[in-house]
Amino acid sequence: MHKLGGGAAIAGMLALGACSDRSAPPEHVAAAALALEPRLGREPLLGPPEAGWRLPPAGDFNQDGLQDVLWRDHTANEITVALMNGTRLLEMGPSLPGPPGADWVVVNGDGDFNLDGMADVLWYDPPTNRIEVWLMQGTVPLEQGAAIQGPPGDGWTCVPAADFNLDGMADVLWYNPTTNRMSVWLMAGTEPFLRGPEIPGPGGGWLADFAADFDRDGMADVFWVDRTEHRMAVWLMDGTEVREPGPSLPGQPGDGWILAAAGDFNADRVADALWFDPRTRRSRISLMWGNGLLEQGADIPGPSGGDWIVGDASDCNGDGMWDMLWLNTSPLEMRVWLMDGTAPFERGESIAGPR
């Protein structure tokens, strides 16, 4: 199963205003919204702005069946692919400069856009509303696609997504909180071949946060979050159209919880939700079944010492269950926690980041 479309969450500017990569909260949400949702684009969660490093959603970059890690320094506009084997680092790739310009953010590094079995990188430039797909070959680009203009009009944001139409290639989800519209673009390599219609969303305080497969039909579905009312919902999709808008479900009680990733934590081939509270450094996993909640996991305290945040989630050891990646920016390091459902069964040692 493709991750997300994977914690927290949730590229460029989002519903609550505009923000550039240089503002340095993670890449998913607007500066004005940081008190509510500390994420800008899809480079997840909080961290010291001066550090610049995030862990966007990442997939398997070298066809070994194990998820790898994508390091992103938005201060220097660089990415680095780290090839992994479970909790161990195999190889730290070279630093790669991003697209020209200071405002590009990494939406997703998990999807395979060209059917070669290797994860590729989706970039988004909020000020110009453009995307760019980089086809990857291991730790380096095979092809850097041309910039593509997004949907017409202001207010759009690009959301991490997987395969919506069962062709094995990752697609693109757009959401406009101003007009309460979403649109699915079906992709073929670095170009869209079908731009889906604009579809009304739930409205109110709901935001489209991720797209992953929640009903085992192989097609990505849309995960919605209402942070004000602490609710979540899953809309089951059929290509570019909504098949079944799911009911409102209780989210995490209390303020501060962020959706950190969406992936399969219990090997049932259904995406689940990983939450993180940056104030308490706790995480929780909501096991999902279609557009319903199967089980709410208990609190998981983060690593001791440092300012650890949930950086990403992926299946690092090939057991079919997603694992948690923790990020500390001072010193720059990460840890992989192997998961068994809603609880960790092995907490990996610290791995130094790039440079």
Side-chain angles (χ1 to χ4, degrees), residues 14-77:
L14 201 90
L16 307 164
C19 185
S20 83
D21 188 68
R22 292 165 292 180
S23 68
E27 293 189 5
H28 188 127
V29 122
L34 289 180
L36 182 63
E37 166 68 69
R39 184 176 43 199
L40 161 67
R42 246 324 156 208
E43 295 175 17
L45 302 184
L46 281 176
E50 64 275 9
W53 289 97
R54 299 294 181 269
L55 297 178
D60 178 8
F61 283 91
N62 62 338
Q63 291 184 304
D64 64 355
L66 303 176
Q67 305 292 82
D68 301 305
V69 173
L70 179 62
W71 290 89
R72 163 68 170 158
D73 182 355
H74 46 221
T75 302
N77 189 27

Short mmCIF file of all heavy atoms in Angstrom, two decimals, residues 14-77:
data_model
loop_
_atom_site.label_atom_id
_atom_site.label_comp_id
_atom_site.label_asym_id
_atom_site.label_seq_id
_atom_site.Cartn_x
_atom_site.Cartn_y
_atom_site.Cartn_z
N LEU A 14 -1.77 26.41 3.15
CA LEU A 14 -3.00 25.66 3.36
C LEU A 14 -4.11 26.63 3.67
O LEU A 14 -3.96 27.81 3.61
CB LEU A 14 -2.83 24.63 4.46
CG LEU A 14 -3.86 23.53 4.36
CD1 LEU A 14 -3.34 22.41 3.50
CD2 LEU A 14 -4.12 22.99 5.72
N ALA A 15 -5.19 26.05 4.10
CA ALA A 15 -6.41 26.78 4.26
C ALA A 15 -6.28 28.06 4.99
O ALA A 15 -7.06 28.94 4.80
CB ALA A 15 -7.34 25.89 5.01
N LEU A 16 -5.36 28.19 5.88
CA LEU A 16 -5.45 29.29 6.82
C LEU A 16 -4.53 30.43 6.47
O LEU A 16 -4.23 31.25 7.30
CB LEU A 16 -5.15 28.73 8.20
CG LEU A 16 -6.03 27.55 8.51
CD1 LEU A 16 -5.48 26.78 9.69
CD2 LEU A 16 -7.44 27.96 8.78
N GLY A 17 -4.04 30.49 5.25
CA GLY A 17 -3.22 31.60 4.86
C GLY A 17 -2.05 31.17 4.07
O GLY A 17 -1.88 30.03 3.75
N ALA A 18 -1.16 32.10 3.76
CA ALA A 18 -0.01 31.77 2.93
C ALA A 18 1.25 31.81 3.74
O ALA A 18 1.38 32.56 4.67
CB ALA A 18 0.08 32.78 1.79
N CYS A 19 2.19 30.99 3.34
CA CYS A 19 3.44 30.92 4.06
C CYS A 19 4.50 30.39 3.14
O CYS A 19 4.23 29.53 2.33
CB CYS A 19 3.31 30.01 5.27
SG CYS A 19 4.75 29.99 6.30
N SER A 20 5.71 30.89 3.21
CA SER A 20 6.76 30.40 2.33
C SER A 20 7.64 29.42 3.06
O SER A 20 7.65 29.36 4.27
CB SER A 20 7.60 31.56 1.81
OG SER A 20 8.58 31.90 2.76
N ASP A 21 8.40 28.70 2.27
CA ASP A 21 9.32 27.70 2.78
C ASP A 21 10.30 28.31 3.78
O ASP A 21 10.75 27.68 4.69
CB ASP A 21 10.06 27.13 1.57
CG ASP A 21 10.92 25.96 1.90
OD1 ASP A 21 10.36 24.92 2.23
OD2 ASP A 21 12.14 26.08 1.80
N ARG A 22 10.61 29.61 3.55
CA ARG A 22 11.60 30.27 4.40
C ARG A 22 11.07 30.54 5.80
O ARG A 22 11.83 30.87 6.69
CB ARG A 22 12.04 31.58 3.74
CG ARG A 22 12.83 31.36 2.47
CD ARG A 22 12.92 32.64 1.67
NE ARG A 22 11.63 33.03 1.14
CZ ARG A 22 11.44 34.10 0.40
NH1 ARG A 22 12.44 34.89 0.11
NH2 ARG A 22 10.25 34.40 -0.05
N SER A 23 9.76 30.47 6.01
CA SER A 23 9.22 30.75 7.34
C SER A 23 9.53 29.64 8.32
O SER A 23 9.40 29.79 9.50
CB SER A 23 7.70 30.91 7.26
OG SER A 23 7.11 29.69 6.94
N ALA A 24 9.89 28.49 7.78
CA ALA A 24 10.45 27.36 8.49
C ALA A 24 9.66 26.58 9.48
O ALA A 24 10.18 25.65 9.96
CB ALA A 24 11.73 27.75 9.19
N PRO A 25 8.37 26.83 9.75
CA PRO A 25 7.66 25.73 10.35
C PRO A 25 7.60 24.66 9.29
O PRO A 25 7.83 24.97 8.14
CB PRO A 25 6.29 26.29 10.65
CG PRO A 25 6.30 27.68 10.22
CD PRO A 25 7.60 28.00 9.61
N PRO A 26 7.19 23.44 9.58
CA PRO A 26 7.26 22.33 8.64
C PRO A 26 6.52 22.70 7.38
O PRO A 26 6.13 23.76 7.27
CB PRO A 26 6.56 21.24 9.39
CG PRO A 26 6.55 21.69 10.77
CD PRO A 26 6.73 23.15 10.82
N GLU A 27 6.33 22.04 6.37
CA GLU A 27 5.75 22.59 5.17
C GLU A 27 4.32 22.13 4.98
O GLU A 27 4.05 21.28 4.18
CB GLU A 27 6.62 22.20 3.98
CG GLU A 27 7.94 22.86 4.07
CD GLU A 27 8.74 22.67 2.83
OE1 GLU A 27 8.24 22.11 1.87
OE2 GLU A 27 9.87 23.07 2.83
N HIS A 28 3.35 22.69 5.66
CA HIS A 28 1.96 22.34 5.34
C HIS A 28 0.95 23.38 5.73
O HIS A 28 -0.17 23.25 5.35
CB HIS A 28 1.61 21.04 5.98
CG HIS A 28 0.28 20.53 5.55
ND1 HIS A 28 0.10 19.30 5.04
CD2 HIS A 28 -0.93 21.08 5.53
CE1 HIS A 28 -1.14 19.10 4.76
NE2 HIS A 28 -1.80 20.15 5.04
N VAL A 29 1.28 24.39 6.53
CA VAL A 29 0.22 25.28 6.94
C VAL A 29 0.68 26.72 7.00
O VAL A 29 1.84 27.00 7.03
CB VAL A 29 -0.34 24.82 8.28
CG1 VAL A 29 -0.25 25.85 9.32
CG2 VAL A 29 -1.77 24.38 8.11
N ALA A 30 -0.25 27.63 7.00
CA ALA A 30 0.08 29.02 6.95
C ALA A 30 0.59 29.56 8.26
O ALA A 30 0.28 29.06 9.32
CB ALA A 30 -1.18 29.78 6.57
N ALA A 31 1.37 30.65 8.16
CA ALA A 31 1.96 31.22 9.37
C ALA A 31 0.89 31.62 10.37
O ALA A 31 1.04 31.43 11.57
CB ALA A 31 2.81 32.43 8.99
N ALA A 32 -0.21 32.19 9.88
CA ALA A 32 -1.27 32.62 10.78
C ALA A 32 -1.91 31.46 11.51
O ALA A 32 -2.58 31.64 12.52
CB ALA A 32 -2.34 33.37 10.00
N ALA A 33 -1.71 30.25 11.00
CA ALA A 33 -2.37 29.09 11.59
C ALA A 33 -1.46 28.26 12.46
O ALA A 33 -1.85 27.22 12.95
CB ALA A 33 -2.91 28.21 10.47
N LEU A 34 -0.24 28.71 12.69
CA LEU A 34 0.72 27.85 13.36
C LEU A 34 0.28 27.46 14.77
O LEU A 34 0.58 26.37 15.24
CB LEU A 34 2.08 28.53 13.42
CG LEU A 34 2.78 28.60 12.06
CD1 LEU A 34 4.12 29.28 12.22
CD2 LEU A 34 2.95 27.22 11.47
N ALA A 35 -0.42 28.36 15.44
CA ALA A 35 -0.87 28.01 16.79
C ALA A 35 -1.87 26.86 16.74
O ALA A 35 -2.00 26.10 17.69
CB ALA A 35 -1.53 29.23 17.45
N LEU A 36 -2.55 26.74 15.61
CA LEU A 36 -3.56 25.70 15.47
C LEU A 36 -2.98 24.45 14.82
O LEU A 36 -3.27 23.34 15.22
CB LEU A 36 -4.72 26.23 14.63
CG LEU A 36 -5.91 25.30 14.41
CD1 LEU A 36 -6.57 24.99 15.75
CD2 LEU A 36 -6.92 25.95 13.47
N GLU A 37 -2.14 24.64 13.80
CA GLU A 37 -1.64 23.51 13.01
C GLU A 37 -0.21 23.80 12.58
O GLU A 37 0.03 24.45 11.59
CB GLU A 37 -2.52 23.32 11.78
CG GLU A 37 -1.91 22.42 10.74
CD GLU A 37 -1.82 20.99 11.19
OE1 GLU A 37 -2.84 20.35 11.33
OE2 GLU A 37 -0.70 20.52 11.41
N PRO A 38 0.77 23.39 13.37
CA PRO A 38 2.15 23.76 13.09
C PRO A 38 2.77 22.90 11.98
O PRO A 38 3.66 22.13 12.21
CB PRO A 38 2.85 23.51 14.42
CG PRO A 38 2.06 22.44 15.05
CD PRO A 38 0.65 22.61 14.59
N ARG A 39 2.24 23.07 10.80
CA ARG A 39 2.81 22.33 9.70
C ARG A 39 2.55 23.09 8.42
O ARG A 39 1.46 23.58 8.19
CB ARG A 39 2.17 20.94 9.61
CG ARG A 39 2.76 20.08 8.57
CD ARG A 39 2.12 18.72 8.65
NE ARG A 39 0.71 18.84 8.85
CZ ARG A 39 -0.04 17.87 9.31
NH1 ARG A 39 0.49 16.73 9.64
NH2 ARG A 39 -1.34 18.02 9.46
N LEU A 40 3.52 23.19 7.57
CA LEU A 40 3.39 23.93 6.32
C LEU A 40 3.69 22.98 5.20
O LEU A 40 4.77 22.45 5.07
CB LEU A 40 4.38 25.09 6.32
CG LEU A 40 4.71 25.70 4.97
CD1 LEU A 40 3.49 26.39 4.41
CD2 LEU A 40 5.84 26.69 5.09
N GLY A 41 2.74 22.69 4.37
CA GLY A 41 2.94 21.77 3.27
C GLY A 41 3.00 20.37 3.78
O GLY A 41 2.18 19.96 4.55
N ARG A 42 3.97 19.58 3.39
CA ARG A 42 4.01 18.22 3.86
C ARG A 42 5.34 17.91 4.48
O ARG A 42 5.70 16.77 4.56
CB ARG A 42 3.78 17.26 2.70
CG ARG A 42 2.48 16.49 2.81
CD ARG A 42 2.12 16.13 4.16
NE ARG A 42 0.68 15.94 4.20
CZ ARG A 42 -0.05 16.11 5.26
NH1 ARG A 42 0.48 16.48 6.37
NH2 ARG A 42 -1.33 15.92 5.23
N GLU A 43 6.03 18.88 4.90
CA GLU A 43 7.25 18.61 5.64
C GLU A 43 6.89 18.76 7.10
O GLU A 43 6.78 19.85 7.61
CB GLU A 43 8.36 19.54 5.18
CG GLU A 43 8.70 19.25 3.74
CD GLU A 43 9.70 20.19 3.16
OE1 GLU A 43 10.39 20.87 3.91
OE2 GLU A 43 9.80 20.25 1.93
N PRO A 44 6.67 17.65 7.79
CA PRO A 44 5.77 17.61 8.90
C PRO A 44 6.25 18.25 10.19
O PRO A 44 7.41 18.21 10.52
CB PRO A 44 5.57 16.12 9.14
CG PRO A 44 6.41 15.42 8.15
CD PRO A 44 7.21 16.41 7.40
N LEU A 45 5.33 18.83 10.87
CA LEU A 45 5.45 19.17 12.27
C LEU A 45 6.45 20.24 12.62
O LEU A 45 7.12 20.80 11.78
CB LEU A 45 5.73 17.90 13.09
CG LEU A 45 4.68 16.82 12.93
CD1 LEU A 45 4.99 15.66 13.85
CD2 LEU A 45 3.31 17.35 13.19
N LEU A 46 6.53 20.51 13.90
CA LEU A 46 7.33 21.62 14.38
C LEU A 46 8.80 21.28 14.54
O LEU A 46 9.18 20.13 14.62
CB LEU A 46 6.81 22.08 15.75
CG LEU A 46 5.56 22.94 15.71
CD1 LEU A 46 5.12 23.22 17.13
CD2 LEU A 46 5.82 24.24 15.00
N GLY A 47 9.60 22.30 14.68
CA GLY A 47 11.01 22.18 14.95
C GLY A 47 11.58 23.58 14.93
O GLY A 47 10.95 24.50 14.42
N PRO A 48 12.74 23.79 15.50
CA PRO A 48 13.33 25.14 15.49
C PRO A 48 13.46 25.66 14.07
O PRO A 48 14.04 24.98 13.22
CB PRO A 48 14.70 24.92 16.13
CG PRO A 48 14.56 23.66 16.93
CD PRO A 48 13.59 22.81 16.19
N PRO A 49 12.91 26.84 13.75
CA PRO A 49 12.98 27.36 12.39
C PRO A 49 14.40 27.46 11.85
O PRO A 49 14.65 27.21 10.68
CB PRO A 49 12.33 28.74 12.50
CG PRO A 49 11.43 28.64 13.69
CD PRO A 49 12.13 27.71 14.63
N GLU A 50 15.35 27.79 12.72
CA GLU A 50 16.71 27.97 12.24
C GLU A 50 17.35 26.66 11.81
O GLU A 50 18.31 26.64 11.05
CB GLU A 50 17.57 28.64 13.31
CG GLU A 50 17.76 27.82 14.59
CD GLU A 50 16.63 28.00 15.58
OE1 GLU A 50 15.61 28.63 15.20
OE2 GLU A 50 16.74 27.50 16.71
N ALA A 51 16.81 25.55 12.27
CA ALA A 51 17.40 24.26 11.90
C ALA A 51 17.08 23.91 10.46
O ALA A 51 17.93 23.41 9.73
CB ALA A 51 16.90 23.17 12.83
N GLY A 52 15.83 24.15 10.03
CA GLY A 52 15.49 23.98 8.63
C GLY A 52 15.15 22.57 8.20
O GLY A 52 14.60 22.39 7.13
N TRP A 53 15.48 21.54 8.97
CA TRP A 53 15.34 20.17 8.52
C TRP A 53 13.97 19.59 8.85
O TRP A 53 13.43 19.82 9.93
CB TRP A 53 16.41 19.28 9.16
CG TRP A 53 17.78 19.55 8.63
CD1 TRP A 53 18.74 20.35 9.19
CD2 TRP A 53 18.36 19.03 7.43
NE1 TRP A 53 19.87 20.36 8.42
CE2 TRP A 53 19.66 19.55 7.33
CE3 TRP A 53 17.89 18.16 6.44
CZ2 TRP A 53 20.51 19.25 6.27
CZ3 TRP A 53 18.73 17.86 5.39
CH2 TRP A 53 20.03 18.40 5.30
N ARG A 54 13.43 18.82 7.91
CA ARG A 54 12.19 18.08 8.09
C ARG A 54 12.32 16.72 7.43
O ARG A 54 13.24 16.47 6.65
CB ARG A 54 10.99 18.83 7.47
CG ARG A 54 10.75 20.21 8.09
CD ARG A 54 10.32 20.14 9.54
NE ARG A 54 10.07 21.47 10.09
CZ ARG A 54 10.97 22.20 10.70
NH1 ARG A 54 12.21 21.76 10.83
NH2 ARG A 54 10.68 23.39 11.18
N LEU A 55 11.36 15.83 7.73
CA LEU A 55 11.30 14.51 7.09
C LEU A 55 9.96 14.40 6.38
O LEU A 55 8.96 13.99 6.97
CB LEU A 55 11.43 13.40 8.14
CG LEU A 55 12.74 13.32 8.92
CD1 LEU A 55 12.68 12.19 9.94
CD2 LEU A 55 13.94 13.13 7.99
N PRO A 56 9.89 14.77 5.10
CA PRO A 56 8.64 14.61 4.35
C PRO A 56 8.31 13.13 4.17
O PRO A 56 9.17 12.26 4.37
CB PRO A 56 8.95 15.26 2.99
CG PRO A 56 10.22 16.02 3.17
CD PRO A 56 10.96 15.36 4.28
N PRO A 57 7.08 12.81 3.78
CA PRO A 57 6.74 11.42 3.48
C PRO A 57 7.71 10.83 2.45
O PRO A 57 8.05 11.48 1.46
CB PRO A 57 5.32 11.51 2.91
CG PRO A 57 4.76 12.75 3.51
CD PRO A 57 5.91 13.70 3.62
N ALA A 58 8.16 9.61 2.68
CA ALA A 58 9.15 8.98 1.80
C ALA A 58 8.81 7.52 1.59
O ALA A 58 8.20 6.88 2.46
CB ALA A 58 10.56 9.12 2.38
N GLY A 59 9.21 6.99 0.44
CA GLY A 59 8.94 5.60 0.10
C GLY A 59 10.22 4.82 -0.14
O GLY A 59 11.28 5.14 0.40
N ASP A 60 10.12 3.82 -0.98
CA ASP A 60 11.24 2.94 -1.30
C ASP A 60 11.97 3.49 -2.52
O ASP A 60 11.48 3.41 -3.64
CB ASP A 60 10.71 1.53 -1.57
CG ASP A 60 11.80 0.54 -1.95
OD1 ASP A 60 13.00 0.89 -1.86
OD2 ASP A 60 11.45 -0.58 -2.36
N PHE A 61 13.16 4.02 -2.31
CA PHE A 61 13.90 4.67 -3.39
C PHE A 61 14.83 3.71 -4.14
O PHE A 61 15.39 4.10 -5.17
CB PHE A 61 14.72 5.84 -2.84
CG PHE A 61 13.91 7.07 -2.55
CD1 PHE A 61 13.35 7.28 -1.29
CD2 PHE A 61 13.67 8.02 -3.52
CE1 PHE A 61 12.60 8.40 -1.01
CE2 PHE A 61 12.91 9.15 -3.26
CZ PHE A 61 12.38 9.34 -1.99
N ASN A 62 15.04 2.49 -3.65
CA ASN A 62 16.02 1.60 -4.29
C ASN A 62 15.50 0.19 -4.54
O ASN A 62 16.29 -0.75 -4.73
CB ASN A 62 17.30 1.54 -3.45
CG ASN A 62 17.08 0.98 -2.06
OD1 ASN A 62 15.96 1.01 -1.55
ND2 ASN A 62 18.13 0.46 -1.45
N GLN A 63 14.19 0.00 -4.55
CA GLN A 63 13.55 -1.26 -4.93
C GLN A 63 13.96 -2.45 -4.05
O GLN A 63 13.97 -3.58 -4.53
CB GLN A 63 13.87 -1.60 -6.39
CG GLN A 63 13.22 -0.69 -7.41
CD GLN A 63 13.51 -1.15 -8.83
OE1 GLN A 63 14.66 -1.30 -9.23
NE2 GLN A 63 12.47 -1.38 -9.60
N ASP A 64 14.25 -2.21 -2.78
CA ASP A 64 14.57 -3.33 -1.90
C ASP A 64 13.38 -3.74 -1.03
O ASP A 64 13.51 -4.61 -0.17
CB ASP A 64 15.79 -3.04 -1.03
CG ASP A 64 15.56 -1.90 -0.05
OD1 ASP A 64 14.48 -1.25 -0.10
OD2 ASP A 64 16.46 -1.62 0.76
N GLY A 65 12.23 -3.10 -1.25
CA GLY A 65 11.04 -3.44 -0.50
C GLY A 65 10.95 -2.79 0.87
O GLY A 65 10.00 -3.04 1.60
N LEU A 66 11.95 -1.97 1.22
CA LEU A 66 11.97 -1.28 2.51
C LEU A 66 11.88 0.22 2.28
O LEU A 66 12.53 0.76 1.39
CB LEU A 66 13.24 -1.63 3.29
CG LEU A 66 13.50 -3.12 3.56
CD1 LEU A 66 14.84 -3.30 4.25
CD2 LEU A 66 12.38 -3.71 4.41
N GLN A 67 11.10 0.89 3.12
CA GLN A 67 10.97 2.33 2.98
C GLN A 67 12.26 3.02 3.41
O GLN A 67 12.96 2.57 4.33
CB GLN A 67 9.81 2.83 3.84
CG GLN A 67 8.48 2.15 3.56
CD GLN A 67 7.92 2.48 2.20
OE1 GLN A 67 8.31 1.89 1.21
NE2 GLN A 67 6.99 3.41 2.16
N ASP A 68 12.56 4.12 2.72
CA ASP A 68 13.75 4.89 3.01
C ASP A 68 13.36 6.24 3.62
O ASP A 68 12.18 6.47 3.91
CB ASP A 68 14.57 5.06 1.73
CG ASP A 68 14.98 3.71 1.13
OD1 ASP A 68 15.60 2.92 1.87
OD2 ASP A 68 14.66 3.45 -0.04
N VAL A 69 14.31 7.12 3.80
CA VAL A 69 14.07 8.40 4.46
C VAL A 69 14.46 9.53 3.52
O VAL A 69 15.51 9.47 2.86
CB VAL A 69 14.87 8.51 5.77
CG1 VAL A 69 14.75 9.91 6.37
CG2 VAL A 69 14.37 7.47 6.78
N LEU A 70 13.63 10.54 3.44
CA LEU A 70 13.92 11.74 2.65
C LEU A 70 14.16 12.91 3.61
O LEU A 70 13.24 13.34 4.30
CB LEU A 70 12.77 12.05 1.70
CG LEU A 70 12.92 13.28 0.81
CD1 LEU A 70 14.12 13.13 -0.12
CD2 LEU A 70 11.65 13.54 0.01
N TRP A 71 15.39 13.37 3.65
CA TRP A 71 15.72 14.55 4.45
C TRP A 71 15.50 15.80 3.59
O TRP A 71 15.86 15.82 2.42
CB TRP A 71 17.18 14.52 4.90
CG TRP A 71 17.50 13.49 5.93
CD1 TRP A 71 17.88 12.20 5.73
CD2 TRP A 71 17.49 13.67 7.35
NE1 TRP A 71 18.10 11.56 6.92
CE2 TRP A 71 17.87 12.44 7.94
CE3 TRP A 71 17.20 14.75 8.19
CZ2 TRP A 71 17.97 12.27 9.32
CZ3 TRP A 71 17.29 14.57 9.56
CH2 TRP A 71 17.67 13.36 10.11
N ARG A 72 14.94 16.83 4.21
CA ARG A 72 14.66 18.07 3.49
C ARG A 72 15.13 19.25 4.34
O ARG A 72 14.70 19.44 5.48
CB ARG A 72 13.16 18.18 3.22
CG ARG A 72 12.66 19.57 2.87
CD ARG A 72 13.17 20.05 1.54
NE ARG A 72 12.46 21.28 1.14
CZ ARG A 72 12.92 22.16 0.29
NH1 ARG A 72 14.10 21.98 -0.28
NH2 ARG A 72 12.22 23.23 -0.02
N ASP A 73 16.04 20.05 3.77
CA ASP A 73 16.51 21.28 4.42
C ASP A 73 15.91 22.45 3.65
O ASP A 73 16.38 22.79 2.56
CB ASP A 73 18.04 21.35 4.40
CG ASP A 73 18.57 22.60 5.10
OD1 ASP A 73 17.75 23.44 5.51
OD2 ASP A 73 19.80 22.74 5.21
N HIS A 74 14.82 23.04 4.18
CA HIS A 74 14.22 24.12 3.40
C HIS A 74 14.92 25.44 3.60
O HIS A 74 14.63 26.39 2.90
CB HIS A 74 12.71 24.25 3.64
CG HIS A 74 12.25 24.19 5.04
ND1 HIS A 74 11.13 23.52 5.40
CD2 HIS A 74 12.74 24.71 6.17
CE1 HIS A 74 10.93 23.63 6.69
NE2 HIS A 74 11.90 24.35 7.18
N THR A 75 15.88 25.54 4.50
CA THR A 75 16.71 26.74 4.57
C THR A 75 17.65 26.81 3.38
O THR A 75 17.81 27.86 2.75
CB THR A 75 17.52 26.75 5.88
OG1 THR A 75 16.63 26.68 6.98
CG2 THR A 75 18.36 28.01 5.98
N ALA A 76 18.26 25.68 3.04
CA ALA A 76 19.19 25.61 1.91
C ALA A 76 18.51 25.13 0.63
O ALA A 76 19.17 25.07 -0.42
CB ALA A 76 20.35 24.68 2.25
N ASN A 77 17.21 24.79 0.69
CA ASN A 77 16.48 24.26 -0.46
C ASN A 77 17.18 23.03 -1.03
O ASN A 77 17.49 22.94 -2.22
CB ASN A 77 16.30 25.31 -1.55
CG ASN A 77 15.35 24.85 -2.65
OD1 ASN A 77 14.47 24.02 -2.43
ND2 ASN A 77 15.56 25.36 -3.86
#
